[in-house]
Amino acid sequence: MGYVDVAGLSHVLPDGRELFTDVSFRVGEGAKVALVGPNGAGKTTLLRMVAGDLPVKAGTIARSGGLGVMRQFIGMLGAPGDRKTLGSEHAHVRHLDVFALSLAAPAVRAAGTTLAKAEAELHAAERRGKYSTAAGKAQLAYADALAAWGEVGGYEAEVLFDTASVAALHKPWDQVKHREIGTLSGGQQKRFALELLLRGPDEVLLLDEPDNFLDVPGKRWLEQRLAESGKSVLYVSHDRELLAQTANRVVAVEGGSAWVHPGGFASWHEARGNRHQRMEENRRRWDEEHEKLRQLMLMYKQKAAYNSDMASRYQSAQTRLKKFEEGGPPPLPPKDQDIRMRLSGGRTGKRALVCTGLEMEDLTFPFDLEVWFGDRVAVLGANGTGKSHFLRLLARGGTDPDTEHAPVDGRLLAPVRHGGVARLGARVRPGHFSQTHDRPDLAGRTLVEVLWRGDDHRRGLPREDAMPSLSRYELAGQAEQRFETLSGGQQARFLVLLLELSGATLLLLDEPTDNLDLASAEALQEGLASFEGTVIAVTHDRWFARSFDRFVLFSGDGEVVETPEPVWD
């Protein structure tokens, strides 16, 4: 069985700020340990340090057993040498076979890469001449690659790939292995990767937001698999129900350090409240003792001014006060976040959206839908049923031929093949929030630069207004950070800020709460409640969906229907 031991870990950001210090915890054999805390507190950084992606300059990390890692955003392959890295900022994975191979053991991964290259060279040589010398050499190289593939367990890996493919995609491996990753929904990608990791040989798993992109049945499946698995799992999640069902220990990252709650998530909130009370009480007692010693020192100082016999007592009181102060005061409880989202919107025509016979190829049958100004529409359904495609179509301006092929927020999204009509109403200006935070127009730019100079669809703010806006979103400390270096939750908050500043009157939100901590999600809900406009949101967040008044279900059989209540199965 595998384990992870973290002792005295600290991390300093490139700008010199200390992210956290003296972090210690253990993930025992078979334990399910949840990392919780505010966005940007350092949860993902901790996972990357445990995975070996970031150097450890202070503290130690000891681990045993094979290690599998899942990043927040999947469908991308890490740098060569990474051990099972998904969601890095490096080269895109195009096909599912390469995606699956990236999760295999290093020997299998290397042999698989060699085999794919040998196969491609063999086909190329045979096209030039089936009986040529080059073709013969290519055949020998391919035979050697096949033998190496078998020796390192490649055929067993293919069995695992097929099992995961049938479980996640409902098709055998041979039918999907050459499929492009972009044709899979985020939930399908994540379910496939989780099937591989949970069924694979690694004894320790590091999972960063594993429930993101999963539909509700997928989340229930994940809850059950984590509870049943004998693997040691360290994971980050903001889904309170999943945490309550799976975590048997909680590591809270907050206030520049971390503390461990030995119980489950159900008792964590009470334990956190009790801990904060103790911290406040300890600080109050320290302040009282400090003031007592200071007054004693001042008294002897005054007496020593006219009585030399008091000089020794004055010196003794000074020494006691100095030693007391050198120990420093006990820490105060971490300050709760104060996020204020001011989504304003604006008045539009009565009909914000009219769909007539709208059909998305291979995803839905034709359906009709009318959305009125001010509606709050939750779009529900399983992964892969077309929900995100629907939002992308609306983000382009619907089926209006003058706008439907326009870029969205600097992105050239894959075309949505459709029939029928989706028409936006008068003065309706769509603003799109992508669940994968894919904004190439923001890459390499700091937050203050984006706000000051604007982006592809928004003019810049006066420089003096940029910092107050970031402060309202608890992002002032990240003003000089590049967008891609932010945590997933910080990116999500910044993208909501850009929506706020864009003047959008129709918000198209694709899983907006996936990466948000509790305080941020509540702030978003409050912001949407005061938004003067229309909201259409794809969500699998059971708590968030209860704040909507209309529910449109994309069912697995291609039907799109409105339901009076949320439907999750």
Side-chain angles (χ1 to χ4, degrees):
M1 297 292 289
Y3 66 85
V4 175
D5 268 325
V6 175
L9 207 61
S10 299
H11 184 73
V12 177
L13 295 171
D15 62 5
R17 289 183 295 119
E18 190 174 66
L19 183 61
F20 52 73
T21 185
D22 196 26
V23 173
S24 301
F25 61 88
R26 175 180 170 84
V27 182
E29 292 83 349
K32 309 300 181 292
V33 179
L35 282 174
V36 303
N39 294 140
K43 302 184 297 296
T44 294
T45 300
L46 267 174
L47 286 186
R48 293 186 65 195
M49 294 177 79
V50 174
D53 297 338
L54 290 177
V56 177
K57 297 181 179 179
T60 60
I61 297 176
R63 55 179 179 262
S64 172
L67 184 67
V69 182
M70 171 176 278
R71 300 286 185 251
Q72 275 183 305
F73 301 110
I74 64 174
M76 302 180 73
L77 187 63
D82 277 0
R83 176 67 175 99
K84 304 188 179 180
T85 300
L86 294 176
S88 178
E89 60 273 18
H90 297 87
H92 284 269
V93 173
R94 289 185 58 83
H95 298 99
L96 194 60
D97 55 351
V98 181
F99 180 65
L101 200 59
S102 72
L103 288 167
V108 174
R109 183 174 175 180
T113 303
T114 301
L115 178 60
K117 182 179 179 181
E119 185 176 11
E121 291 176 349
L122 174 62
H123 291 325
E126 289 182 340
R127 283 196 298 269
R128 292 192 296 268
K130 189 172 183 179
Y131 301 105
S132 66
T133 302
K137 290 182 178 179
Q139 288 172 352
L140 289 174
Y142 180 61
D144 291 341
L146 274 177
W149 175 247
E151 289 174 358
V152 299
Y155 295 113
E156 290 81 356
E158 287 185 9
V159 172
L160 177 60
F161 296 165
D162 185 68
T163 302
S165 175
V166 171
L169 307 176
H170 311 296
K171 291 183 179 179
W173 180 239
D174 284 342
Q175 293 183 19
V176 299
K177 63 182 180 181
H178 297 306
R179 185 171 172 179
E180 289 197 6
I181 279 291
T183 65
L184 301 176
S185 71
Q188 288 174 316
Q189 292 179 35
K190 211 144 203 185
R191 176 70 180 266
F192 178 74
L194 284 168
E195 290 280 3
L196 287 180
L197 289 171
L198 288 166
R199 295 174 184 270
D202 291 315
E203 297 171 345
V204 177
L205 299 183
L206 307 179
L207 308 178
D208 198 351
E209 304 279 8
D211 52 291
N212 283 3
F213 311 129
L214 293 181
D215 52 27
V216 173
K219 291 185 178 186
R220 291 171 177 164
W221 164 85
L222 179 59
E223 291 167 3
Q224 182 177 355
R225 288 303 306 275
L226 285 176
E228 295 172 348
S229 175
K231 298 177 184 293
S232 306
V233 184
L234 177 64
Y235 63 102
V236 174
S237 177
H238 297 301
D239 188 304
R240 291 168 293 173
E241 189 161 341
L242 182 139
L243 289 168
Q245 295 294 329
T246 58
N248 47 43
R249 179 165 294 192
V250 177
V251 177
V253 185
E254 58 181 358
S257 189
W259 61 280
V260 178
H261 173 52
F265 184 74
S267 58
W268 175 75
H269 287 285
E270 182 180 359
R272 181 174 184 263
N274 293 337
R275 180 175 184 270
H276 286 186
Q277 288 181 2
R278 290 194 301 272
M279 293 175 74
E280 290 174 347
E281 177 63 18
N282 290 339
R283 184 58 176 264
R284 183 186 64 80
R285 291 180 179 177
W286 189 94
D287 287 340
E288 290 178 351
E289 182 65 17
H290 180 254
E291 182 61 20
K292 178 181 175 182
L293 292 175
R294 194 179 73 87
Q295 292 297 333
L296 185 65
M297 181 272 296
L298 291 175
M299 180 192 71
Y300 282 124
K301 179 182 180 181
Q302 185 179 19
K303 290 185 176 181
Y306 56 84
N307 186 345
S308 58
D309 292 339
M310 292 293 170
S312 60
R313 296 190 180 186
Y314 170 50
Q315 186 176 6
S316 176
Q318 281 184 308
T319 301
R320 286 181 60 191
L321 178 61
K322 182 179 179 180
K323 288 183 177 180
F324 186 82
E325 290 177 338
E326 285 175 350
L332 287 169
K335 184 174 73 74
D336 289 332
Q337 296 185 96
D338 182 21
I339 300 169
R340 301 180 302 282
M341 300 181 180
R342 297 173 183 169
L343 297 161
S344 55
R347 189 74 196 182
T348 69
K350 290 184 178 180
R351 286 183 176 86
L353 169 65
V354 177
C355 298
T356 305
L358 182 63
E359 176 183 14
M360 288 178 287
E361 185 177 355
D362 298 328
L363 291 171
T364 72
F365 294 123
F367 65 94
D368 299 335
L369 177 67
E370 281 191 345
V371 177
W372 300 82
F373 170 77
D375 279 352
R376 302 295 191 263
V377 183
V379 180
L380 313 176
N383 294 132
T385 53
K387 304 182 302 298
S388 294
H389 289 283
F390 177 55
L391 287 199
R392 291 176 191 163
L393 182 64
L394 301 183
R396 279 197 171 94
T399 58
D400 183 341
D402 294 330
T403 60
E404 63 178 297
H405 300 296
V408 177
D409 293 332
R411 293 165 288 153
L412 293 173
L413 300 177
V416 182
R417 296 179 181 178
H418 63 270
V421 175
R423 183 174 293 113
L424 302 182
R427 299 184 300 282
V428 171
R429 181 177 180 180
H432 185 243
F433 178 100
S434 168
Q435 65 178 158
T436 56
H437 303 174
D438 47 341
R439 289 294 300 270
D441 58 316
L442 305 182
R445 303 169 65 188
T446 67
L447 304 193
V448 73
E449 285 174 346
V450 173
L451 294 184
W452 183 32
R453 298 174 183 174
D455 55 25
D456 288 351
H457 299 274
R458 184 189 56 78
R459 297 175 61 185
L461 286 173
R463 194 172 182 89
E464 62 270 17
D465 293 339
M467 288 304 296
S469 297
L470 290 172
S471 295
R472 286 193 293 105
Y473 280 74
E474 293 277 352
L475 291 171
Q478 290 73 41
E480 299 299 334
Q481 280 186 237
R482 297 190 308 276
F483 175 76
E484 65 270 19
T485 67
L486 300 177
S487 72
Q490 290 170 332
Q491 288 184 6
R493 292 207 303 267
F494 187 67
L495 293 177
V496 174
L497 172 57
L498 294 184
L499 280 181
E500 174 187 307
L501 300 174
S502 71
T505 57
L506 169 63
L507 298 182
L508 304 169
L509 310 178
D510 197 352
E511 301 286 6
T513 62
D514 260 3
N515 295 288
L516 294 178
D517 57 32
L518 179 58
S520 301
E522 289 178 345
L524 175 61
Q525 185 171 340
E526 292 174 2
L528 294 179
S530 60
F531 175 67
E532 185 186 13
T534 309
V535 181
I536 302 177
V538 171
T539 185
H540 296 126
D541 186 327
R542 290 156 277 188
W543 167 77
F544 182 60
R546 288 196 290 268
S547 63
F548 287 74
D549 50 32
R550 293 181 62 183
F551 307 95
V552 175
L553 174 66
F554 279 57
S555 60
D557 59 5
E559 296 287 347
V560 178
V561 296
E562 189 161 357
T563 64
E565 298 291 337
V567 175
W568 300 115
D569 295 320

